[in-house]
Amino acid sequence: MLDRPGEGPRSIPISALEHHAYCPRQAALIHVEGYFDTTVDTVRGDLAHAAVNRPGMGHGRDHSRLFRSLPVWSEEFGLHGVCDVVQFDPTGPLPVEHKSGSYRPGGPADVQVGAQVLCLREMFQAEVPTGVIFAGKDRRRHEIRVDDALVARVQTTTTAVRALLEQSLLPEPVHDSRCRRCSLRPGCMPEAPKHVDGLFMPRPEGEWHG
Amino acid sequence: MVELLNTLYATTPGTSLHLDGDALRLVHPERTGRHLVPLVRLDHIVAWNGVALSDDLLHRCAADGRSVTWVTRNGRFLGRVSGPQTGNPMLRLGQFRAYEDPGHRLMLGRCLVAGKLHNYRQLLLRAARDSSGARQTRLREIAARHAEALTELAAARSLTAVLGIEGQAARGYFRGLDVLSPGVGAGRTRRPTLDPVNCLLSFGYGMLRVAVHGALEQVGLDPYIGYLHGVRSGKPALALDLMEEFRPLLVDRLVLTLFNRGQVATRHTETLPGGAVQLTDEGRRMFLEQWSTARERKWHHAGLVSDLPAALLPLVQARLLARHLRGDSESYLPWTVT
């Protein structure tokens, strides 16, 4: 795929990083094939997000300024997205990502928040050492330190997603425990065979019920 | 959604469909009261001509990705809208490349016909098991010819040969219609249909086409560029291709069962001067009720080794075809029962 001359590398949606960190095929199904399916879990997530999806200003309990649904981007890393909430403290901006489920340290959400922090650093020329995930399950804030290791993880994931969007093939299905809770399973079909045997061999009468 | 959603068939002329909050409201001058269907339960609307849809409802359906199809009184496809085009342009390029490559076209044509032959054979073997005497012998003979056709298919070196094998098997099958359902005539008639069986078959194929056409659009394939049926102006060749494997068990079996159980009465069809047979309003309603029930029935899928409701089969197969055309799998796997 050719970019227009003068344009930098394609900007990657931050949400795609989280999808890719969970499963590369999931990211390709959503962002390459434009396929999405809803389940109880995704609807629950949407409802949990309803509170933070109304763009605008607000105030936190400690009178800090909050901004909901704030578009963020980074020229340097080629990323763009929308932060659920950005809290503007005297020390600088702090992204707060809302999740309906529980928080898993080192999981895909870390990459997402890491990317948001990189965007805020560039946009506000601020330090932004951490990001926050608010987990709906325990109703608690989990602080994520964005260190060199996480920045590197964001970068490798961004490169991988960019490569994925440029090529036409879908990554192989992972076909493991991740598939159990995945809402895209009906369209992913991890169990579909790659080879077809005996398609031209007559078979005996089947067991299907008339 | 994994949940099986419904298709709304709006057949009564003079009906209008409106948006009412998150529901669809049916209005007909002769029906009193409020008739609401929650939109969340519907994934498709089929409107017969004479049924009007409000702009608000159409816009909402487009936004939700719920498609709307219009058909004639006899179930012939008139048109459809499905909101923004979905899918990946790379997939469409893959679809065109496969069409341009004679070897690839031949391979796909063979797979599509194999699916149809397998399922017709299963239908015939099942009918043979439930019959006896000369009828059983004839059914077994037709099934044996389908078995031969499958073997010939593996050796077919041109699309013309594939079409020849398919055509011969289809003629053999339709000549045996009278043994499949005693009391009905043999042979296939279309444009117009000349007996009630052919009339119901054509109507059933029309409904199947609506489902397959929608499934192809949903995965981002062009329904008009096919492999077995090639490219003919105005013909949804890929929809016709993908329909082949579904015809025997989803349509023929349903129609034959209706006749064998005596559920098709004289009031369900009418003969016009000249001999053309068409469905009456009551017949149309009867078939659509049976079709809707049949859509919920689960079928075995030999390739995926799982049971799937009939209504989801076209979408699953459209996805398998898309995956193959994108290079995800070596070959297309048709739906067959075992």
Side-chain angles (χ1 to χ4, degrees), chain B residues 138-158:
Chain B
R138 254 192 86 196
L139 286 169
R140 292 226 166 107
E141 271 170 23
I142 306 171
R145 276 203 295 277
H146 276 66
E148 281 168 32
L150 266 171
T151 323
E152 289 167 25
L153 200 58
R157 289 287 164 264
S158 72

Side-chain angles (χ1 to χ4, degrees), chain A residues 43-145:
Chain A
V43 171
R44 193 174 287 140
D46 288 347
L47 291 174
H49 267 85
V52 285
N53 277 352
R54 277 173 285 109
M57 281 249 302
H59 290 281
R61 249 176 276 173
D62 55 355
H63 303 293
S64 58
R65 248 180 347 129
L66 299 179
F67 220 100
R68 292 182 299 266
S69 296
L70 184 71
V72 295
W73 66 95
S74 159
E75 298 281 348
E76 186 189 343
F77 295 95
L79 290 166
H80 67 271
V82 177
C83 286
D84 285 343
V85 172
V86 178
Q87 182 178 322
F88 289 91
D89 295 332
T91 49
L94 177 74
V96 184
E97 176 67 20
H98 285 241
K99 296 287 175 205
S100 63
S102 49
Y103 169 66
R104 219 159 43 79
D110 284 17
V111 178
Q112 188 182 8
V113 170
Q116 292 173 355
V117 165
L118 292 183
C119 292
L120 292 172
R121 280 179 188 168
E122 187 178 316
M123 288 165 70
F124 296 97
Q125 300 295 316
E127 288 234 342
V128 200
T130 57
V132 165
I133 288 172
F134 177 79
K137 198 83 169 264
D138 56 8
R139 303 200 54 80
R140 263 181 227 304
R141 288 178 157 218
H142 301 267
E143 200 164 276
I144 288 121
R145 178 149 289 279

Side-chain angles (χ1 to χ4, degrees), chain B residues 297-317:
Chain B
R297 184 224 148 115
K298 289 209 169 180
W299 285 93
H300 188 66
H301 192 300
L304 298 177
V305 205
S306 58
D307 291 338
L308 296 165
L312 285 184
L313 284 170
L315 186 59
V316 165
Q317 290 308 115

Side-chain angles (χ1 to χ4, degrees), chain B residues 105-125:
Chain B
R105 248 188 98 177
L106 171 63
M107 186 270 270
L108 281 167
R110 282 165 42 183
C111 291
L112 292 160
V113 173
K116 178 184 188 175
L117 291 174
H118 270 297
N119 291 340
Y120 266 130
R121 238 187 114 247
Q122 292 294 332
L123 175 78
L124 291 159
L125 290 174

Side-chain angles (χ1 to χ4, degrees), chain B residues 74-86:
Chain B
N74 290 323
R76 198 170 52 78
F77 184 88
L78 274 173
R80 86 185 250 119
V81 292
S82 56
Q85 228 176 10
T86 51

Side-chain angles (χ1 to χ4, degrees), chain A residues 33 37 168 187 194 203, chain B residues 1 121 297 323 326 328:
Chain A
E33 287 215 330
D37 238 332
S168 116
K194 284 186 81 82
R203 297 180 198 139
Chain B
M1 206 103 157
R121 238 187 114 247
R297 184 224 148 115
R323 294 292 143 73
R326 291 258 321 268
D328 229 20

Side-chain angles (χ1 to χ4, degrees), chain B residues 172-229:
Chain B
Y173 166 80
F174 282 112
R175 267 203 299 269
L177 264 188
D178 55 333
V179 260
L180 273 164
S181 184
V184 311
R188 170 93 176 114
T189 53
R190 303 188 294 154
R191 288 185 293 241
T193 51
L194 299 174
D195 59 69
V197 175
N198 275 289
C199 172
L200 258 75
L201 282 176
S202 285
F203 190 80
Y205 294 150
M207 294 304 103
L208 177 62
R209 181 187 157 190
V210 168
V212 170
H213 197 116
L216 288 170
E217 277 187 353
Q218 205 176 327
V219 302
L221 285 165
D222 185 335
Y224 289 86
I225 295 181
Y227 301 103
L228 188 63
H229 291 86

